[in-house]
Amino acid sequence: DKSGLALSLASVSNPRGSSPPHKGAEELLLRQGGATMRASTSKWLDAGFAKNNRSELMITLRAGERPPAALYMATANDASKRDPAAWLVHGLDRCGDWAPLSSIKGYKAPLA
C-alpha cells in the first residue's frame, strides 16, 4: 500500500506456466499469522517461458484490500536472461473487465 506495507493476497498463480518443485508462483507467498508478508527470498521459476514466450503471474488480493500503490520485484543473480525486461499490470474494473494499470518496456535490471 502507499505506506509501504505488503498487501494481503488471496492467491498467486502462473497460468499456462510450468515450474519445478518448490519454484511455483505460490512460493512468492509467505503467510504469517494470517497475513501475507513480503518474501524476497522466495523464488518463482517459469520453465514454460521459452514455449510461451512470456510468463504470467496472476495475483489476487483479499476481498476489501486496496489497490497496490507500488510494485516490488527482486531478481536472482544466476541467469540475467531470465530477468524481466517488460511487464504489464492489469486490474479488474467495476464492470469486471481487465484495465491496464501500468506498462513497462525496455527495463534493464541492475547487475548483482
Side-chain angles (χ1 to χ4, degrees):
D1 70 5
K2 288 184 180 182
S3 62
L5 298 174
L7 297 172
S8 183
L9 306 179
S11 66
V12 178
S13 65
N14 179 212
R16 292 179 292 281
S18 64
S19 300
H22 308 292
K23 301 288 187 230
E26 67 281 356
E27 295 295 317
L28 300 175
L29 291 178
L30 173 64
R31 298 187 188 280
Q32 183 175 4
T36 302
M37 311 299 285
R38 288 189 186 143
S40 62
T41 58
S42 298
K43 183 175 183 178
W44 163 55
L45 174 64
D46 182 5
F49 178 82
K51 176 184 159 194
N52 299 325
N53 201 31
R54 72 180 204 170
S55 290
E56 183 176 350
L57 199 57
M58 178 75 72
I59 301 170
T60 304
L61 300 176
R62 289 197 187 279
E65 186 66 72
R66 295 180 303 263
L71 175 66
Y72 171 80
M73 264 193 273
T75 62
N77 62 358
D78 61 344
S80 61
K81 66 182 179 183
R82 292 194 307 240
D83 290 347
W87 58 88
L88 301 169
V89 178
H90 289 84
L92 285 175
D93 64 18
R94 292 182 182 173
C95 298
D97 297 319
W98 289 104
L101 300 176
S102 176
S103 174
I104 303 294
K105 294 180 182 178
Y107 180 79
K108 301 226 185 293
L111 298 175

